Amino acid sequence: MAVIELFILKMFNMSSIFTTTFGERVNMEDDGVIVEVIQSIIIAPYVDPQSNWLLAIFIVILNLLTFYLLGWLIGSAFYGFGVVIGLVFIGISIVLVFIENALLSIGLGLTVPERLSSYDFGLPISIIGVVAIIIIVLWVIRQLTKKVAIKM
């Protein structure tokens, strides 16, 4: 597993120091948009539970709910439409995770990629944006599964 992690980290030239599954520390340099997307998926917005435990729990619950619903969305797309549409929905899900993490990071005042640093809004607006994403995903899941025949 560590070999695969090292390969992925080196392939995308990721910045920061990562600790792999087996405790190896890897330090890479940052190089682009793909790195920002991967980092936003791997490293969700973090609130220290020591400073505000209620907000930390709420952010974790939002992230878990989003990942659960996006997994359901991907599964529904694969089940109803096949491989090609399922792969398209994987890409859509990656974009939605990036948007959710960017909204939460901006709302919490955390560091964001340079191209997003010009945006500035509060936590309530970012939470409204995340809830809107969740509602849209639920609606799309409903549309995908409304008339799907059950395969036996």
Side-chain angles (χ1 to χ4, degrees):
M1 187 69 170
V3 174
I4 296 170
E5 290 174 356
L6 286 172
F7 173 73
I8 291 172
L9 291 173
K10 288 179 182 177
M11 185 171 73
F12 292 112
N13 294 325
M14 298 184 81
S15 69
S16 307
I17 297 174
F18 289 92
T19 304
T20 63
T21 304
F22 296 106
E24 300 172 31
R25 293 179 64 85
V26 180
N27 191 359
M28 302 285 172
E29 292 183 15
D30 184 11
D31 260 6
V33 177
I34 294 177
V35 173
E36 291 172 4
V37 172
I38 291 174
Q39 282 180 343
S40 74
I41 292 170
I42 294 172
I43 306 167
Y46 176 73
V47 175
D48 186 20
Q50 299 290 334
S51 64
N52 193 345
W53 65 272
L54 190 60
L55 180 61
I57 290 172
F58 183 70
I59 297 299
V60 168
I61 288 172
L62 270 179
N63 282 328
L64 289 174
L65 178 64
T66 303
F67 278 113
Y68 174 76
L69 291 176
L70 291 176
W72 193 7
L73 177 71
I74 293 168
S76 300
F78 272 105
Y79 185 80
F81 299 106
V83 175
V84 175
I85 301 296
L87 292 174
V88 168
F89 274 88
I90 288 175
I92 292 170
S93 297
I94 289 171
V95 169
L96 289 175
V97 167
F98 180 73
I99 292 170
E100 180 209 9
N101 287 341
L103 282 171
L104 288 175
S105 294
I106 292 169
L108 292 169
L110 303 173
T111 55
V112 292
E114 285 185 29
R115 61 182 61 88
L116 298 175
S117 62
S118 62
Y119 298 104
D120 187 28
F121 44 81
L123 186 60
I125 293 176
S126 65
I127 290 176
I128 290 170
V130 171
V131 169
I133 289 172
I134 289 172
I135 290 171
I136 290 169
V137 168
L138 283 170
W139 180 78
V140 172
I141 290 170
R142 175 66 181 133
Q143 296 304 313
L144 289 175
T145 59
K146 191 186 295 186
K147 296 186 181 187
V148 172
I150 297 174
K151 299 176 185 174
M152 300 273 245

